């Protein structure tokens, strides 16, 4: 697994098709590195953020400055994404006493559809419950109003989707790029941060399921 260090040192010559980003929030980096250790090294390059932002929610007087730093960090990620990186995975972790579970965030509904139908079975530590892996659609603006006529809905089919949606607070050049597929992954753990490594297998399974869907999607597009 090629390791790229943001802000410190040079970068290696990345060859893997997937770039895994860990440590955007510094409290989450240990979990990200534990997940990375579970993944096949030949398939992933690792971008480790050495000086990530705090995951602490900023106060009202800090919010503007925090958002500016947040967007600046993500803009710098673009310097570390090479033409060989077809998929960029941005790994985060949070707390949910009902976990482990995960959200997968992407602008491409084809990937979300794959996650829904194929990516949520036999995840270690979580069984096969559908609610353990949820897709969220990244959008620039609120989606258009749903079709009002039954025949319109039938004609739209899967494209008239019920995905929960999120406006990402990162540059559009990152989450909606032409050269690579950006996917955010938020793994929710039921225990304290210091126990996060115990759930690395689940996190790695979510990452692997997401990458499998991304490759399946890319293969379908090449066959068109």
């Amino acid at each position: 697994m090629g390791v790229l260090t943001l802000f410190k040192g040079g970068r290696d010559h990345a060859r893997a098709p997937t770039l895994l980003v860990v440590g955007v929030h510094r409290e989450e980096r240990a979990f990200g590195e534990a997940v990375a250790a579970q993944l096949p090294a030949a398939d992933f390059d690792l971008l480790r953020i050495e000086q990530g932002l705090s995951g602490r929610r900023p106060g009202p007087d800090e919010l503007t400055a925090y958002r500016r730093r947040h967007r600046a960090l993500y803009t710098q990620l673009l310097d570390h994404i090479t033409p060989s990186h077809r998929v960029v995975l941005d790994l985060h972790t949070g707390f949910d006493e009902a976990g482990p579970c995960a959200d997968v965030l992407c602008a491409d509904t084809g990937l979300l559809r794959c996650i829904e139908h194929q990516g949520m079975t036999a995840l270690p530590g979580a069984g096969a419950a559908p609610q353990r892996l949820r897709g969220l659609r990244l959008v620039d603006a609120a989606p258009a109003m749903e079709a009002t006529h039954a025949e319109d809905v039938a004609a739209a089919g899967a494209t008239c989707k019920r995905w929960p949606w999120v406006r990402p607070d990162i540059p559009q050049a990152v989450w909606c790029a032409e050269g690579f597929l950006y996917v955010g992954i938020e793994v929710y753990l039921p225990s304290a941060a210091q126990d996060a490594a115990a759930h690395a297998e689940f996190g790695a399974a979510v990452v692997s399921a997401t990458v499998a869907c991304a490759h399946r999607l890319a293969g379908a597009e090449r066959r068109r």
Side-chain angles (χ1 to χ4, degrees):
M1 182 177 293
V3 179
L4 312 180
T5 301
L6 187 59
F7 305 142
K8 290 186 178 179
R11 54 184 286 177
D12 296 340
H13 294 290
R15 295 184 178 87
T18 301
L19 179 65
L20 178 65
V21 181
V22 303
V24 166
H25 296 130
R26 55 180 174 264
E27 299 90 345
E28 303 169 4
R29 199 180 99 186
F31 175 72
E33 293 185 347
V35 169
Q38 300 267 341
L39 298 169
D43 296 339
F44 294 84
D45 284 324
L46 177 63
L47 178 56
R48 178 188 294 119
I49 311 300
E50 293 285 2
Q51 298 178 14
L53 301 173
S54 172
R56 180 182 61 85
R57 183 183 296 274
D61 57 335
E62 302 171 314
L63 185 58
T64 299
Y66 180 87
R67 284 178 170 168
R68 184 169 58 250
R69 292 193 299 270
H70 188 260
R71 291 183 66 84
L73 188 154
Y74 273 93
T75 297
Q76 291 180 69
L77 293 187
L78 294 171
D79 294 335
H80 294 265
I81 299 171
T82 74
S84 66
H85 293 137
R86 309 309 300 165
V87 181
V88 175
L89 299 180
D90 183 16
L91 182 61
H92 296 265
T93 186
F95 172 77
D96 187 332
E97 62 184 9
C101 53
D103 286 342
V104 176
L105 303 92
C106 187
D108 194 308
T109 56
L111 182 129
L112 300 181
R113 195 171 301 116
C114 178
I115 285 291
E116 180 181 75
H117 292 299
Q118 302 184 44
M120 57 193 179
T121 58
L123 291 176
Q131 64 269 25
R132 295 300 186 189
L133 193 54
R134 179 179 63 159
L136 297 174
R137 183 182 177 190
L138 298 179
V139 298
D140 189 40
M145 185 178 298
E146 298 286 345
T148 55
H149 302 290
E151 59 270 22
D152 293 338
V153 174
T159 61
C160 188
K161 186 51 186 163
R162 65 283 181 194
W163 305 113
W165 56 270
V166 175
R167 278 196 200 96
D169 195 18
I170 63 178
Q172 189 168 3
V174 174
W175 67 267
C176 195
E178 292 185 3
F180 59 88
L181 180 67
Y182 171 87
V183 186
I185 298 178
E186 184 86 36
V187 178
Y188 298 100
L189 305 178
S191 55
Q194 58 265 32
D195 298 325
H199 301 284
E201 184 182 5
F202 173 77
V206 173
V207 167
S208 297
T210 302
V211 170
C213 281
H215 290 170
R216 190 174 296 117
L217 181 65
E221 289 178 350
R222 283 195 298 268
R223 290 192 294 271
R224 289 175 185 171

